[in-house]
Amino acid sequence: MLFATSEPITLNKIREVTDSFYPLKPSVLLGLMDELQSDYMELRRGFRLEEIAGGYLLRSCEEFTPYIQLLYREKRGEKLSQASSEVLAIIAYRQPITRAEIESIRGVDSSYVVGSLLERGLIEPSGKLEAPGRPTLYSITQEFLSHFGLKDIKELPELKSLFPNP
């Protein structure tokens, strides 16, 4: 299963599939996943098993990045613009947050950028603010975590470390 997907697979999904053939207790399955992670590291494989965005995913080891970049040099992915990066950071650190609050922080209209991030699946509506007009609240998605290789939101760097006092 792990070799057949490019998206993180949740432990529940892995259990659902394995239970069809060989039922395992969740603790046993979790232990097997931990054992796989350790084995791949100890054997110095070209890949490792990581827990990302609430699931497990096989990823190439960082030391092979130059080779992989050469392999895919023609297939450049769409990069985030400066504005998209700013809005995404604001949402990640302040979620849930309204577009008006984002614009207040940035000082410019962010409608287009929010729409673009919604289309890419990096943010999602997460409710409505109990205020006049009931503006939409935005939060990051599992796709955001996967895109940035994060297990969960707690892995974001602390703002203090990004902006130390002069």
Side-chain angles (χ1 to χ4, degrees), residues 32-49:
L32 289 170
M33 298 305 285
D34 289 342
E35 190 177 321
L36 272 177
Q37 284 177 316
S38 295
D39 285 352
Y40 292 155
M41 294 292 279
E42 288 173 19
L43 296 171
R44 300 186 48 77
R45 300 279 186 191
F47 56 89
R48 62 183 179 273
L49 181 60

Side-chain angles (χ1 to χ4, degrees), residues 5-23:
T5 184
S6 60
E7 300 294 323
I9 305 173
T10 65
L11 195 62
N12 286 339
K13 185 64 174 176
I14 294 170
R15 185 170 181 227
E16 179 184 315
V17 173
T18 58
D19 278 358
S20 320
F21 301 98
Y22 190 77

Side-chain angles (χ1 to χ4, degrees), residues 35-87:
E35 190 177 321
L36 272 177
Q37 284 177 316
S38 295
D39 285 352
Y40 292 155
M41 294 292 279
E42 288 173 19
L43 296 171
R44 300 186 48 77
R45 300 279 186 191
F47 56 89
R48 62 183 179 273
L49 181 60
E50 290 189 356
E51 191 175 352
I52 295 174
Y56 290 89
L57 182 65
L58 289 174
R59 298 182 78 187
S60 301
C61 292
E62 290 176 27
E63 60 262 29
F64 298 106
T65 299
Y67 303 105
I68 295 167
Q69 286 174 337
L70 282 173
L71 178 65
Y72 290 104
R73 71 175 164 222
E74 299 299 319
K75 297 180 182 180
R76 285 185 44 214
E78 184 183 335
K79 293 187 178 183
L80 289 172
S81 67
Q82 178 71 28
S84 293
S85 296
E86 288 174 7
V87 170

Side-chain angles (χ1 to χ4, degrees), residues 64-122:
F64 298 106
T65 299
Y67 303 105
I68 295 167
Q69 286 174 337
L70 282 173
L71 178 65
Y72 290 104
R73 71 175 164 222
E74 299 299 319
K75 297 180 182 180
R76 285 185 44 214
E78 184 183 335
K79 293 187 178 183
L80 289 172
S81 67
Q82 178 71 28
S84 293
S85 296
E86 288 174 7
V87 170
L88 204 48
I90 292 167
I91 294 170
Y93 283 99
R94 295 278 185 95
Q95 68 181 331
I97 188 169
T98 65
R99 195 183 82 233
E101 291 169 323
I102 294 166
E103 291 170 353
S104 172
I105 292 168
R106 291 186 70 226
V108 296
D109 179 66
S110 299
S111 303
Y112 176 79
V113 177
V114 169
S116 170
L117 293 171
L118 283 166
E119 283 179 20
R120 292 180 75 168
L122 296 173

